[in-house]
Amino acid sequence: MKALVYHGPGQKAWEDVPKPTLVSDTDAIVRVDAVTICGSDLHILKGDVPAVTDGRILGHEAVGTVEAVGNGVKTVKAGDRVLVSCITACGTCRFCREARYGQCLGGGGWILGHKIDGTQAEFVRVPFADTSTYPVPAGVADEDMLMLADILPTGYEVGVLNGVVRPGDVVAVVGAGPVGLAAIMGARLFSPSHIVAIDLSDSRLDAAKQFGADVTVNNSLEDADAIIAELTGGLGADVSIEAVGVPAAFEQAVRLARPGGHVANIGVHGEPVTLHLEDLWIRDLTITTGLVDTFTTPTLLRLLISHQLEASRFVTHHFTLDQFEEAYEVFANAADTGALKVVLTRS
Ligand SMILES: NC(=O)c1ccc[n+]([C@@H]2O[C@H](COP(=O)([O-])OP(=O)(O)OC[C@H]3O[C@@H](n4cnc5c(N)ncnc54)[C@H](O)[C@@H]3O)[C@@H](O)[C@H]2O)c1
Ligand SMILES: [Zn+2]
Ligand SMILES: [Zn+2]
């Protein structure tokens, strides 16, 4: 089969590799019907994620058709159409029993396209198939379902739920990439009074308006602190969400939160970040961090089916699997191409 294989920083190729086979009796082999690329894949290609080694097939999001299952798989069978989530769950360890699947101790967590071969391929081996896949309901489009593999649960769990967004809140979202936009879409469900999207790119801010932000701030031209202060009588945002992953964005998110407010960090940080406790100790802030667990996937799916989440808004570009290298180009140059999520399907 063909797959998108990582060959060290800056190197990748759509090339021939052996088709995966069942290794454990809880595995499924899934034929990939729709797959996408994540910002984390770009981090890997920059060499930021050293756990990913030469020869690894990338990708941690897919919708596909089950081709084979091991003898220990109970609820998934050949022919089933499933979502392959970015988080794999053994289902039995201490953290899985608490629905904290991202922290799985039994061999799950973020493993696809990271510690084992991933979904950017014609076929993928999915460990713990019963607890790591979700059936695609009739009538749900593959590409809408695909948005539940990573970005929608990430924005919702690590941004909106950790940030405890409540009706009437002023919510500031620093970073309006796919994950920040997912946080904006998720925050809308709680009827905040204002959602302020903050980014450096006007095209991303335009997207933020479409996703439900009513105020947009271009960080390179405008003063977000002053704009939030004006909206909140000088207090600051009730909830401030960081969806970038750079020190300046985290420090800004902290500055923007009101006393007693929440700061929810989503961004993956590769450098040390300063926490100004000399200013913050007195402000009663709650700061959260998190890796997505995907425990809200069933909830988000119900919202998708009832049209309260318009997942299709994320999809800006379509390709076939053999156009993987071109799809990476378009996705990596989002400022020029306007890409949010690219979807690749079988031709
Ligand atoms: N915690 C998790 O479980 C989890 C899961 C998925 C992704 N992530 C992380 O979430 C972050 C966002 O992901 P994404 O795919 O949306 O990334 P992205 O790179 O597409 O989007 C980031 C956005 O931030 C903007 N930006 C950059 N610097 C800024 C600044 N100083 N102020 C304001 N905006 C700025 C960029 O213009 C861009 O639109 C990344 O760090 C990603 O690795 C975390
Ligand atoms: Zn991802
Ligand atoms: Zn587990």
Side-chain angles (χ1 to χ4, degrees):
M1 69 161 189
K2 294 271 194 195
L4 198 282
V5 182
Y6 173 74
H7 288 300
Q11 307 286 320
K12 62 173 174 352
W14 178 248
E15 63 189 33
D16 285 310
V17 294
K19 192 176 161 186
T21 53
L22 296 168
V23 175
S24 158
D25 70 350
T26 51
D27 288 350
I29 303 299
V30 175
R31 186 192 75 182
V32 174
D33 298 324
V35 56
T36 182
I37 306 171
C38 178
S40 305
D41 298 321
L42 302 181
H43 277 298
I44 292 169
L45 279 163
K46 280 190 210 138
D48 289 348
V49 190
V52 182
T53 49
D54 186 358
R56 177 67 66 237
I57 299 172
L58 297 182
H60 49 266
E61 303 156 276
V63 169
T65 308
V66 176
E67 204 192 46
V69 296
N71 291 331
V73 176
K74 296 191 179 68
T75 59
V76 179
K77 60 182 189 312
D80 285 356
R81 308 225 47 253
V82 293
L83 171 72
V84 179
S85 172
C86 67
I87 299 295
T88 302
C90 82
T92 56
C93 75
R94 172 194 165 166
F95 289 130
C96 283
R97 298 290 291 262
E98 295 175 1
R100 218 173 251 282
Y101 310 117
Q103 306 295 330
C104 175
L105 298 167
W110 176 33
I111 57 171
L112 287 170
H114 181 206
K115 297 175 180 165
I116 66 169
D117 285 335
T119 55
Q120 292 174 3
E122 292 181 292
F123 295 88
V124 58
R125 179 178 74 88
V126 182
F128 308 116
D130 282 319
T131 40
S132 308
T133 64
Y134 302 82
V136 182
V140 173
D142 282 8
E143 64 181 45
D144 290 359
M145 192 78 188
L146 188 56
M147 300 301 117
L148 292 179
D150 182 346
I151 54 169
L152 279 169
T154 297
Y156 187 66
E157 294 173 14
V158 190
V160 177
L161 295 185
N162 282 0
V164 197
V165 175
R166 286 179 298 197
D169 277 356
V170 172
V171 179
V173 179
V174 185
V179 170
L181 294 171
I184 291 170
M185 197 178 250
R188 267 271 157 257
L189 298 166
F190 293 85
S191 302
S193 59
H194 296 288
I195 298 180
V196 184
I198 301 160
D199 203 290
L200 303 170
S201 146
D202 284 329
S203 69
R204 288 277 162 98
L205 292 170
D206 288 344
K209 283 226 154 117
Q210 309 279 317
F211 278 73
D214 59 305
V215 181
T216 57
V217 181
N218 186 320
N219 238 351
S220 57
L221 306 170
E222 298 167 285
D223 180 354
D225 299 35
I227 291 168
I228 296 272
E230 199 182 313
L231 268 181
T232 59
L235 285 181
D238 300 287
V239 181
S240 174
I241 295 174
E242 201 275 10
V244 184
V246 300
F250 178 78
E251 289 184 27
Q252 180 173 43
V254 171
R255 249 189 353 259
L256 291 176
R258 68 162 165 82
H262 283 253
V263 181
N265 181 78
I266 311 178
V268 172
H269 291 267
E271 292 174 47
V273 185
T274 305
L275 184 66
H276 287 286
L277 269 183
E278 72 280 14
D279 299 326
L280 300 174
W281 70 270
I282 201 168
R283 288 176 55 202
D284 298 8
L285 285 182
T286 302
I287 300 177
T288 54
T289 69
L291 170 67
V292 65
D293 291 307
T294 67
F295 76 95
T296 63
T297 304
T299 306
L300 295 170
L301 181 55
R302 287 197 299 278
L303 291 166
L304 195 151
I305 292 169
S306 61
H307 303 290
Q308 280 152 287
L309 287 179
E310 298 291 343
S312 57
R313 282 186 189 281
F314 287 101
V315 181
T316 54
H317 293 77
H318 293 90
F319 298 94
T320 52
L321 290 182
D322 57 358
Q323 294 175 307
F324 238 115
E325 308 223 24
E326 194 181 331
Y328 260 94
E329 278 300 305
V330 167
F331 182 69
N333 295 299
D336 300 329
T337 61
L340 295 176
K341 288 297 262 187
V342 301
V343 172
L344 299 96
T345 50
R346 293 180 163 259
S347 44

